[in-house]
Amino acid sequence: LNSAGARGLSSVPTGKINEKPRGQGAVAQLPSLAHVLHTLNSIERYPNFLHRHDDTYAKQVEDELEAYVSKLREIRERREDRASILNGVKEKYRSAFEDQEGRKLAALDPRQSILTFEMLSQCLSETGKRLLSAQMKRHSQSGGDAVDVTNTTHSLADLEGALDMPLGDPKLNVVEVEMFDERFCEEAIRRCKEFASMVDAEVEEGSELKGRSTFDLRYVPGLEWVPDFMLDFVAKPIARELFKREGAENLDWVQTYVARYKHKAGETRGGRDSLVEHTDDSEVTCNLCLSGEEEFDGGE
């Protein structure tokens, strides 16, 4: 499970993103963004900037801007279409994820609109419970202590005590903790597989969603709360202490999805069996291993 995000921070200028060399794909065909931004900045500072150039220059900048606007519009429309399909599948099959005998965790019931500390505790490891307790403010609602993710509070000592590690160490840039318990991990895998099958059955051949096995967890019934939980209770508090110099206290966006890899090299199903060294297109990445560590080697 991969969770990440913040806006407004500078990104790494070299290397690979998602295993692809920078500049590949459709974006590589767009005009120089640096040139467009230089022109816009110059116009803001000097309103008569374009008067210094001939009409050809102004038309070039206009065309460059239109190319970026068209690309942005295309991406937005494709994203809206995909979201509409996934939300439709989610609502159509929502009842299939309710009250499943022998596999029920209250926090994963799609009908829950309020999550309490007790509900979340059913899904967390002991470390996860300590981390949650160190941050949350509770208020009485519907007969329980509802978790309000908009009002998290913590001290560095609380976090270090919950994680049992010194976050103030300047050499520390990776934190490894046991967050969820085994039952939750197994249920999350099962739900994602079932949802992927449901989507595959609904979309037509040729759809970009056909055969796809990874989706934002906001679309998977019962797992909608996981992205905000990972951001507010895991990524934010840890990154706030770990990456102060990089400005990570401003994390305000998250994308959470599940990826599947082959059990071992040579298998024909189950996705890839390895990853090359690369940079995610995010400021902070949380990798959550859902499978038991005894099922694979490597992955460090």
Side-chain angles (χ1 to χ4, degrees), residues 25 60 93 186 204 244 294:
Q60 177 188 352
Y93 291 99
E186 291 175 351
E204 299 178 353
K244 287 182 178 179
E294 69 280 356

Side-chain angles (χ1 to χ4, degrees), residues 15-196:
K16 297 182 178 181
I17 294 182
N18 293 339
E19 305 178 271
K20 304 177 184 69
R22 291 171 182 269
Q24 282 191 349
V27 177
Q29 307 304 318
L30 294 174
S32 167
L33 181 59
H35 181 247
V36 173
L37 293 177
H38 166 73
T39 303
L40 293 178
N41 183 60
S42 297
I43 291 174
E44 181 181 30
R45 296 177 63 187
Y46 310 108
N48 294 325
F49 173 76
L50 288 179
H51 290 286
R52 305 176 184 176
H53 302 272
D54 58 24
D55 292 341
T56 302
Y57 180 86
K59 182 64 167 61
Q60 177 188 352
V61 174
E62 184 179 336
D63 290 342
E64 291 173 347
L65 277 172
E66 181 56 39
Y68 276 98
V69 171
S70 296
K71 188 62 182 177
L72 179 62
R73 185 180 299 115
E74 174 191 335
I75 294 172
R76 176 181 57 79
E77 291 174 350
R78 191 168 70 244
R79 182 182 183 278
E80 290 175 351
D81 290 342
R82 185 171 61 223
S84 177
I85 293 172
L86 293 176
N87 278 321
V89 174
K90 173 183 173 180
E91 294 307 315
K92 181 176 180 178
Y93 291 99
R94 177 177 289 272
S95 60
F97 293 93
E98 297 173 358
D99 291 327
Q100 301 193 44
E101 191 64 30
R103 298 184 294 199
K104 185 176 179 183
L105 290 170
L108 300 184
D109 189 330
R111 295 169 298 184
Q112 295 290 350
S113 58
I114 298 175
L115 292 179
T116 67
F117 181 84
E118 182 180 359
M119 291 177 184
L120 283 175
S121 293
Q122 296 176 357
C123 302
L124 300 176
S125 66
E126 290 305 314
T127 302
K129 292 174 187 176
R130 292 198 303 269
L131 184 60
L132 179 60
S133 297
Q135 302 168 67
M136 65 175 291
K137 287 182 178 179
R138 289 178 272 178
H139 59 275
S140 180
Q141 188 170 353
S142 299
D145 291 327
V147 177
D148 182 2
V149 298
T150 64
N151 286 309
T152 58
T153 179
H154 72 274
S155 69
L156 177 58
D158 289 336
L159 280 180
E160 291 183 331
L163 299 173
D164 193 25
M165 66 176 62
L167 294 180
D169 186 346
K171 297 180 181 179
L172 186 67
N173 57 20
V174 176
V175 172
E176 181 180 355
V177 298
E178 184 178 319
M179 194 67 213
F180 292 99
D181 75 358
E182 187 176 343
R183 283 194 309 162
F184 168 83
C185 294
E186 291 175 351
E187 184 68 6
I189 292 173
R190 186 190 65 78
R191 287 176 183 239
C192 289
K193 287 181 178 179
E194 288 191 9
F195 185 72

